[in-house]
Amino acid sequence: MIQEVTGQESVPFGDLVLEALDTLIGLEMCEELFTPNNPGTQLSLSGCEIICNSSASHWQIRKLRDRLRLIQGSSKKNGSLYIYANQQGCEGEGREYFDGCALIAINGDIVAQASQFSLNDVEVCSATVDLDEIWDAWYPPARRMQVEDAPTYEHIKLGVSLTSVQQNPLLSPQLSAKRPAIVVEPEEEIGLAAGCWIWDYLRRSGQAGAFLPLSGGIDSAATAVIFFSTARLVYAAVQNGNQQVIKDMLRVCAEQPDSGWRPSTPQELCERIFHTCFMGTQNSSEETRSRAKQLARAIGSWHIDMNFDIIVRSFTTLFTTLFGRTLRFRSEGGSNQEGLALQNIQSRVRMVLSYLFASTLTIVRGREGGGNLLVLGSANVDECLRGYLTKYDCSSADINPIGGISKGDLSNFLRFAKTEYGLDILESFISATPTAELEPITNDYVQSDEADMGINRHKQEILTPSLHAETYSPDSNRYDLLPFLRPPLTWAYERIERAIGEVGG
């Protein structure tokens, strides 16, 4: 049928040039901008004043600086008007966030830039420029020599003028002013990118909110503060009258579509949709319990403070009944293997409780229609890559906002949030010694993560979807090709340990 309508048996395939009555427009796609010989260079040499890039460039910490450098460099080197459009929001798989930041640059100078992090479904920016500035940039003789070798492209005639006020009502009599690029610092990026990602994931998944085991440590604190950033972003969008965000918020909060309810603070929104729980045992300290409670109060989450020793004892009692022996921690004279088994009981029970509460808290709270909560994980990328976690513990969740973010960046994020979000309690998290609190506290022993890092539990192979935030990741199928079943290279390891000992004196 198509052949009958068009009279064609084939179609041209490849690059082309759009020819308006007053300018030529070339196209390059997404990652082509990052290549050594990007198409925009050849298109510019062939006479294109305007280069358009339709992109789906995902967010990574500090990546915008590279992207801006390439866009401005291409526009300045080639002498062109570079129009960059990018996707915004999370993609279907849910691991990546696309950070928008559409912009327009002429001869290396930015004249328009959209937001990098936003809850808007669509965002448009425009600029009025003088094409004569581009032609002036084409003057250098060396460039004219390269033009002679430029490829030729098929032209598609548009029959319209971009410089005609009659045909282009967006034209302004005033040229757009050159402006510096807007680039936020990495610690602010984390809250904005992960906050937008969570909201997009939450509204698309149709869940009723989120649940987080809040341990009183830095990682779960960072995850909690990231969700608070989500609430801040949603609250700001509601205040600005964003109808799509209002519609999504009312649905997540189980309000009727015509409800006039609006949150008066981000904390009020958190209280409706964010649930935290300190899951303590006899090994938990009052310091971590208190920190978790104070942070929950500061961000407004619906918080539970509980102990689950009775469940742990049921496991150890069953073991003793079956095998006639009692498992003991190292501090009680047990072996390292026994100690890890006892620690992992606590860790894995926390995961089971997390999913129990995520499935039932909406019933407990009387939410109309019930609904499930997204379980949030809080294992940072350093722990995931090293394998410092328990399989099927609280690192196993529906999504993990910090699974691609390093401990150092998370600490900087909390320092930023302490000031910018007004959360003074975060100082106590930052200064605290990281500890899993899975072993008994004695007069001469307190468990610490730094000491435990020598215990190689296993490489993470069971993955909770983590926000892609760095060029490295524990996501084995895309980044890590190392085998997790390693041969016993005893001789090599002994030589390494010996060399380390000699260096350490």
Side-chain angles (χ1 to χ4, degrees):
M1 179 183 294
I2 296 176
Q3 291 182 3
E4 293 176 0
V5 173
T6 64
Q8 296 175 250
E9 294 182 351
S10 63
V11 295
F13 185 84
D15 293 325
L16 54 80
V17 170
L18 300 178
E19 182 179 339
L21 297 176
D22 44 17
T23 188
L24 298 179
I25 305 168
L27 309 171
E28 67 179 15
M29 298 293 292
C30 196
E31 195 176 13
E32 290 178 331
L33 170 65
F34 290 78
T35 59
N37 186 20
N38 62 304
T41 298
Q42 300 303 319
L43 287 163
S44 175
L45 290 173
S46 69
C48 292
E49 294 98 344
I50 302 174
I51 305 297
C52 296
N53 185 318
S54 176
S55 187
S57 181
H58 58 266
W59 170 78
Q60 289 177 353
I61 300 173
R62 304 173 183 86
K63 181 180 178 181
L64 180 59
R65 290 167 173 79
D66 292 335
R67 193 188 299 155
L68 287 170
R69 176 176 53 80
L70 291 169
I71 291 173
Q72 292 181 272
S74 179
S75 173
K76 183 176 181 61
K77 177 184 69 173
N78 296 328
S80 66
L81 176 66
Y82 201 99
I83 301 176
Y84 174 84
N86 190 28
Q87 182 179 339
Q88 194 165 56
C90 74
E91 41 74 64
E93 188 187 4
R95 293 179 186 269
E96 294 180 324
Y97 174 75
F98 298 89
D99 58 335
C101 201
L103 59 85
I104 302 172
I106 180 169
N107 294 344
D109 295 314
I110 294 174
V111 290
Q113 181 180 353
S115 67
Q116 184 181 9
F117 306 108
S118 167
L119 300 185
N120 297 325
D121 280 341
V122 178
E123 194 166 353
V124 177
C125 64
S126 62
T128 300
V129 300
D130 185 356
L131 292 179
D132 285 347
E133 294 183 25
I134 297 173
W135 299 329
D136 290 343
W138 289 358
Y139 173 76
R143 185 187 194 280
R144 296 201 300 270
M145 293 175 62
Q146 293 184 10
V147 167
E148 297 178 2
D149 298 324
T152 58
Y153 299 91
E154 180 176 351
H155 284 217
I156 305 297
K157 296 183 182 296
L158 303 179
V160 298
S161 170
L162 299 187
T163 59
S164 169
V165 177
Q166 289 73 28
Q167 295 190 30
N168 188 354
L170 293 177
L171 280 178
S172 167
Q174 297 292 328
L175 294 178
S176 298
K178 298 175 176 59
R179 50 183 291 179
I182 300 173
V183 183
V184 300
E185 293 301 314
E187 51 268 27
E188 185 176 5
E189 276 190 272
I190 291 172
L192 294 173
C196 289
W197 178 69
I198 288 178
W199 180 248
D200 220 13
Y201 203 107
L202 181 59
R203 71 180 184 123
R204 292 189 189 192
S205 65
Q207 302 304 296
F211 176 86
L212 171 69
L214 187 57
S215 69
I218 193 171
D219 292 328
S220 63
T223 304
V225 175
I226 284 172
F227 195 94
F228 183 58
S229 176
T230 297
R232 287 166 51 92
L233 289 163
V234 173
Y235 174 75
V238 170
Q239 292 294 103
N240 291 331
N242 187 315
Q243 293 304 306
Q244 183 60 55
V245 174
I246 292 173
K247 178 182 177 181
D248 292 331
M249 181 204 65
L250 292 176
R251 179 184 55 76
V252 173
C253 293
E255 294 283 341
Q256 295 299 316
D258 58 351
S259 170
W261 176 81
R262 303 291 185 270
S264 58
T265 63
Q267 284 84 351
E268 183 180 354
L269 178 59
C270 270
E271 197 278 333
R272 294 287 293 268
I273 64 174
F274 189 35
H275 307 73
T276 54
C277 178
F278 181 83
M279 300 180 181
T281 69
Q282 62 185 5
N283 301 321
S284 304
S285 67
E286 283 304 314
E287 289 80 1
T288 53
R289 187 186 300 271
S290 175
R291 284 200 299 268
K293 186 181 298 185
Q294 291 182 68
L295 178 58
R297 187 183 303 118
I299 65 176
S301 66
W302 197 83
H303 187 65
I304 306 168
D305 188 333
M306 59 162 283
N307 279 3
F308 62 95
D309 289 303
I310 186 173
I311 302 177
V312 176
R313 283 196 295 271
S314 69
F315 277 93
T316 56
T317 300
L318 174 63
F319 184 89
T320 301
T321 302
L322 287 174
F323 303 111
R325 63 178 297 167
T326 301
L327 296 173
R328 294 176 297 174
F329 287 100
R330 288 179 297 177
S331 60
E332 299 169 339
S335 66
N336 180 61
Q337 187 173 345
E338 289 177 86
L340 280 177
L342 288 170
Q343 292 183 59
N344 290 341
I345 291 173
Q346 300 166 68
S347 299
R348 290 178 176 133
V349 168
R350 288 187 172 116
M351 186 207 70
V352 175
L353 288 173
S354 294
Y355 277 96
L356 171 63
F357 293 157
S359 300
T360 57
L361 283 183
T362 55
I363 301 173
V364 172
R365 300 190 65 189
R367 182 184 187 274
E368 184 176 350
N372 293 317
L373 306 175
L374 282 175
V375 178
L376 303 183
S378 57
N380 66 66
V381 71
D382 301 328
E383 293 176 346
C384 294
L385 287 170
R386 187 175 178 87
Y388 181 67
L389 47 83
T390 299
K391 188 182 291 185
Y392 303 118
D393 68 349
C394 290
S395 64
S396 297
D398 292 320
I399 58 174
N400 183 1
I402 68 170
I405 305 174
S406 70
K407 194 90 165 184
D409 281 333
L410 288 175
S411 297
N412 290 335
F413 164 63
L414 289 184
R415 292 186 181 93
F416 168 83
K418 173 194 169 185
T419 302
E420 294 300 317
Y421 298 178
L423 301 174
D424 292 336
I425 182 59
L426 292 180
E427 182 59 40
S428 63
F429 286 86
I430 297 168
S431 59
T433 300
T435 173
E437 291 195 332
L438 296 172
E439 293 185 288
I441 300 173
T442 66
N443 292 332
D444 56 359
Y445 178 75
V446 177
Q447 185 179 19
S448 74
D449 290 354
E450 184 176 348
D452 282 353
M453 280 292 182
I455 302 175
N456 186 11
R457 298 185 178 182
H458 56 77
K459 175 184 169 184
Q460 184 181 14
E461 289 297 316
I462 306 301
L463 288 175
T464 293
S466 303
L467 171 59
H468 179 80
E470 279 289 4
T471 54
Y472 52 87
S473 168
D475 198 346
S476 297
N477 64 318
R478 294 195 302 183
Y479 296 97
D480 187 359
L481 301 180
L482 293 174
F484 64 93
L485 296 176
R486 295 186 176 90
L489 303 176
T490 308
W491 183 87
Y493 291 150
E494 288 178 351
R495 290 296 297 262
I496 293 171
E497 291 296 332
R498 188 189 310 166
I500 292 174
E502 292 173 354
V503 172

